[in-house]
Amino acid sequence: MPKPLRMGAKKWVGENVDFSVLGPGEAKMGGKTLARFQEGIRDSRNVGTEGLSKVHQSVLGHSYGSTTASYGVAQVRPSVVDEFAVFGSPGVKDGSWQMNTPVRHNYVLRFADDDIGSGNTLKRFLVGKDTRGWFGTDPYLDGGFKKLDPYGLNTKETEHSGCLADGSDLQLQLARVITGKMI
């Protein structure tokens, strides 16, 4: 008989963003805190006489939270974060090569009508840089981020807020990332 899957979830909100300031400043500060938080979870699970735990940690980031999360995942010790997924992202720190995750464990989801994606395209047009979003590298154009399809039979809402629609195919894709059940 297979062993039951034991899971837990922790919502971390570690940023107070002033969107009137267009830049990655808050993301850098929040990322440092996130890295310590993720390492603390890993370290607390490794205390004891039974050796290292098999704690599995995924970091998901939406909108500016994806920028913040990218700074955290770039700073965290290797082997702490197992998967990193961003959706509706205005940009990530430098690129996939900076993320302290296993190779091919970075994911990106975006609806075609998401204003953030359109904004990233507009910024590249205005500034002339190929892969820069508003707050860093556009993960959708970074080959180190695997593109996952957010569309399906359960997709009722799209655009930027559709990323958070309950029961959506985007949420199903994120659940697959978290559980390691990628198709």
Side-chain angles (χ1 to χ4, degrees), residues 49-70:
T49 58
E50 297 182 31
L52 298 180
S53 74
K54 292 182 173 67
V55 64
H56 187 95
Q57 295 192 91
S58 302
V59 173
L60 312 177
H62 175 251
S63 198
Y64 191 79
S66 69
T67 306
T68 300
S70 72

Side-chain angles (χ1 to χ4, degrees), residues 82-156:
D82 298 290
E83 284 92 21
F84 178 43
V86 297
F87 45 110
S89 179
V92 297
K93 180 186 183 342
D94 300 330
S96 58
W97 59 273
Q98 277 287 87
M99 303 302 122
N100 283 319
T101 54
V103 175
R104 293 183 297 280
H105 284 242
N106 295 312
Y107 304 92
V108 61
L109 298 99
R110 176 181 293 159
F111 288 117
D113 59 355
D114 186 335
D115 292 337
I116 298 297
S118 301
N120 285 344
T121 302
L122 175 63
K123 181 171 187 270
R124 284 190 302 281
F125 175 77
L126 294 174
V127 178
K129 292 184 179 178
D130 290 339
T131 61
R132 299 300 288 177
W134 285 107
F135 298 112
T137 299
D138 185 342
Y140 202 75
L141 300 177
D142 184 330
F145 278 87
K146 182 179 179 181
K147 292 179 189 172
L148 301 179
D149 186 1
Y151 295 97
L153 296 175
N154 298 314
T155 303
K156 308 290 185 247

Side-chain angles (χ1 to χ4, degrees), residues 23-53:
E26 287 85 357
K28 290 177 183 178
M29 290 185 295
K32 184 176 182 179
T33 305
L34 176 62
R36 287 192 315 253
F37 178 78
Q38 292 295 133
E39 289 173 352
I41 291 173
R42 172 73 65 174
D43 294 346
S44 70
R45 295 293 302 270
N46 290 338
V47 174
T49 58
E50 297 182 31
L52 298 180
S53 74

